[in-house]
Amino acid sequence: MSLFKQHIDHLIDQTTRALEATGYDGLWIYSGHPENNFLDDMAPPHSINPHFKWWVPVPHVTSSVLHFKPGQQPIVYLHQPADFWHKVVDNSQDKWARYFDVRVVGHYRELPDFTAEDNHAWIGADELQPLAEKDTNPEILLHHLHFARIQKTDYEIHCIGQANELALKGHAAAKQAFYDGLSEFEINMAYLQACQQGQNQMPYGNIVALNENPAVLHYQYQSHQRIAKDQLKSFLIDAGADYNGYAADITRTYAFQPGRFAEMILLMDEKQQLLCQQAVAGADYVALHDQAHLYISEVLKEFGVLTCDPETALESGLSQTFFPHGLGHYLGLQVHDVAGHVSDEKGTPNPPPARHPFLRLTDQLRERAVITVEPGVYFIPMLLEQIKGHDAVNWEVVDEFLPYGGIRIEDNLVIQQGQSENLSR
């Protein structure tokens, strides 16, 4: 039996359970469609409904609908319009289609009457909403389906692994481009070329940051200006790739010259790998996040940035100045995948603790979940200004590291018992 067939059987089982638990007889899932910008005839790149691509591995499809009723073969109304403006790819004969009743739709009028089916739910963005509000994206059903998405099938793990393989090719090319002295824009082009994917295929906007720019956590610009090699200091790249709608999300940091910043990267890498080793089934991710703060505080103490002990830095909140984001998140059909703040299929809230408000994952780690582990240490002027004059900070050393921006190292892990699988190494 193929991995994809096993995956579809799993979705049929999980969706049947979710419908039974929530009292629905069936489900419509809409892929979504692009909508034009204001006062324009051009639309931004379309992001497909993740619930649709959970079933149908065609990430670019639009205006299509999946119909599921327990005990019946799932139907896919696959939109393939007659169009001389754009190339229309026939996906109805792809291998995935053998597990569905695929009905090619050339126009919206050929779609079924969604209201003719009794007691159905509708999942999709508001580009199309044919059912009553109470049956459109009902939270009680979404909680069940989102919770089911935490633990991945072998097919999903394969797809995320393939996305990692593509992304690692990009990372190798970007690293070489950095040492060749290229600009942020040119480094990003080298990354895309190596991945053989366009920017709009990336699961998120690539973060390509030189010198002080890694201090901006989601740095969104790519300068065309090359920096003279005698002025180049650091390079952080946070970039992934897509495979059948599944994402990779990898971060690496480099120093242009040997020295203390390069040594700090090596020590941060050691700490990150220790965290990866502890990320196993049953581990408390909030506790792991606290451990990350201790490790990062140890790094800062080792390099003379902090004068207090790591425990004091954590308990006082000082470490959050240098590590303000969460340790990681679920990964899958979405980069920040769903159900990170719940503890069961009913959606029982499990919010992040007040001391770590940006933590995206708060549950105990479950076998076959895929997560990121991405500790960082940053020298962010805005946050440093808030603790200006703190007597546990060596401000001369802070000034030494400010031009480098910061360090983040991120891997993608498949959670297992005893020892998890690192897809990014």
Side-chain angles (χ1 to χ4, degrees):
M1 184 184 295
S2 71
L3 291 182
F4 187 69
K5 176 61 165 62
Q6 292 176 335
H7 173 71
I8 293 301
D9 287 347
H10 174 78
L11 296 195
I12 289 172
D13 177 67
Q14 292 297 315
T15 306
T16 298
R17 291 171 181 265
L19 292 173
E20 290 174 349
T22 56
Y24 282 102
D25 294 331
L27 174 65
W28 301 101
I29 302 176
Y30 184 52
S31 68
H33 64 260
E35 293 192 305
N36 289 345
N37 294 315
F38 180 61
L39 297 180
D40 201 350
D41 62 355
M42 299 284 287
H46 178 250
S47 181
I48 196 170
N49 177 357
H51 284 276
F52 187 88
K53 65 178 178 175
W54 198 22
W55 292 83
V56 179
V58 188
H60 61 266
V61 74
T62 64
S63 307
S64 299
V65 182
L66 181 136
H67 183 207
F68 177 77
K69 290 180 73 172
Q72 299 182 17
Q73 186 179 35
I75 302 171
V76 175
Y77 296 92
L78 189 63
H79 187 235
Q80 293 181 177
D83 187 353
F84 56 81
W85 291 102
H86 305 96
K87 181 177 177 61
V88 178
V89 178
D90 182 7
N91 298 118
S92 64
Q93 305 303 311
D94 293 351
K95 289 182 179 180
W96 64 267
R98 71 184 67 172
Y99 306 113
F100 299 86
D101 176 2
V102 178
R103 305 181 186 182
V104 174
V105 173
H107 192 275
Y108 279 105
R109 62 176 173 267
E110 298 173 29
L111 289 171
D113 179 2
F114 302 117
T115 63
E117 294 282 353
D118 292 332
N119 197 31
H120 271 49
W122 177 272
I123 294 179
D126 58 8
E127 303 107 337
L128 186 63
Q129 186 179 322
L131 301 189
E133 190 72 30
K134 67 180 181 63
D135 297 321
T136 300
N137 300 318
E139 282 196 6
I140 186 172
L141 177 59
L142 287 177
H143 283 314
H144 279 267
L145 296 175
H146 287 173
F147 197 75
R149 278 171 52 185
I150 292 175
Q151 294 175 286
K152 304 297 191 282
T153 63
D154 287 342
Y155 165 78
E156 293 180 288
I157 291 170
H158 168 75
C159 289
I160 299 170
Q162 291 299 111
N164 267 261
E165 291 288 340
L166 291 170
L168 288 169
K169 291 178 181 179
H171 277 269
K175 176 183 178 182
Q176 184 60 52
F178 165 59
Y179 287 118
D180 288 343
L182 300 188
S183 69
E184 292 172 342
F185 177 83
E186 292 170 314
I187 293 170
N188 188 55
M189 290 300 102
Y191 184 95
L192 297 175
Q193 176 66 31
C195 291
Q196 288 293 286
Q197 294 188 350
Q199 184 65 64
N200 292 337
Q201 292 173 277
M202 291 288 110
Y204 57 96
N206 292 347
I207 298 169
V208 180
L210 296 175
N211 287 4
E212 71 279 0
N213 291 331
V216 182
L217 299 184
H218 285 171
Y219 176 69
Q220 72 273 39
Y221 298 110
Q222 292 167 5
S223 172
H224 289 67
Q225 185 70 40
R226 290 189 182 184
I227 299 172
K229 286 190 175 182
D230 62 354
Q231 298 298 314
L232 268 176
K233 297 181 180 299
S234 60
F235 170 44
L236 183 151
I237 177 167
D238 185 336
D242 177 276
Y243 186 86
N244 283 357
Y246 287 85
D249 181 5
I250 304 171
T251 308
R252 297 290 186 261
T253 308
Y254 305 98
F256 193 72
Q257 298 286 356
R260 278 176 33 96
F261 186 72
E263 293 166 4
M264 183 181 281
I265 293 173
L266 289 176
L267 186 54
M268 276 293 296
D269 189 68
E270 291 178 15
K271 300 299 187 183
Q272 190 265 359
Q273 288 294 282
L274 288 173
L275 291 166
C276 289
Q277 292 170 18
Q278 296 168 54
V280 296
D284 184 331
Y285 202 70
V286 176
L288 197 63
H289 181 73
D290 281 331
Q291 184 63 58
H293 272 273
L294 287 173
Y295 283 156
I296 288 164
S297 299
E298 289 174 4
V299 172
L300 292 168
K301 180 73 180 294
E302 174 74 18
F303 282 85
V305 178
L306 297 183
T307 59
C308 64
D309 60 79
E311 291 76 16
T312 298
L314 169 62
E315 293 165 6
S316 68
L318 178 59
S319 61
Q320 293 194 47
T321 296
F322 301 91
F323 177 38
H325 62 75
L327 178 59
H329 48 81
Y330 285 134
L331 180 70
L333 292 162
Q334 295 168 261
V335 177
H336 299 141
D337 218 354
V338 291
H341 289 163
V342 301
S343 57
D344 56 35
E345 68 278 358
K346 297 179 181 178
T348 302
N350 188 11
R355 68 184 184 280
H356 301 312
F358 301 115
L359 190 57
R360 297 181 186 271
L361 177 53
T362 54
D363 201 6
Q364 288 190 338
L365 295 180
R366 302 172 189 275
E367 194 170 6
R368 305 186 69 83
V370 179
I371 68 166
T372 67
V373 175
E374 48 182 301
V377 58
Y378 309 92
F379 300 89
I380 303 173
M382 182 183 74
L383 298 183
L384 291 167
E385 182 66 25
Q386 294 173 9
I387 61 163
K388 188 174 182 179
H390 198 296
D391 58 7
V393 176
N394 186 325
W395 293 96
E396 289 185 4
V397 178
V398 167
D399 289 340
E400 173 193 349
F401 285 113
L402 268 172
Y404 296 87
I407 301 165
R408 181 164 65 255
I409 300 170
E410 177 183 20
D411 288 334
N412 303 167
L413 270 63
V414 182
I415 300 302
Q416 298 174 347
Q417 297 285 344
Q419 182 177 350
S420 296
E421 179 184 3
N422 192 330
L423 300 174
S424 311
R425 295 277 175 163

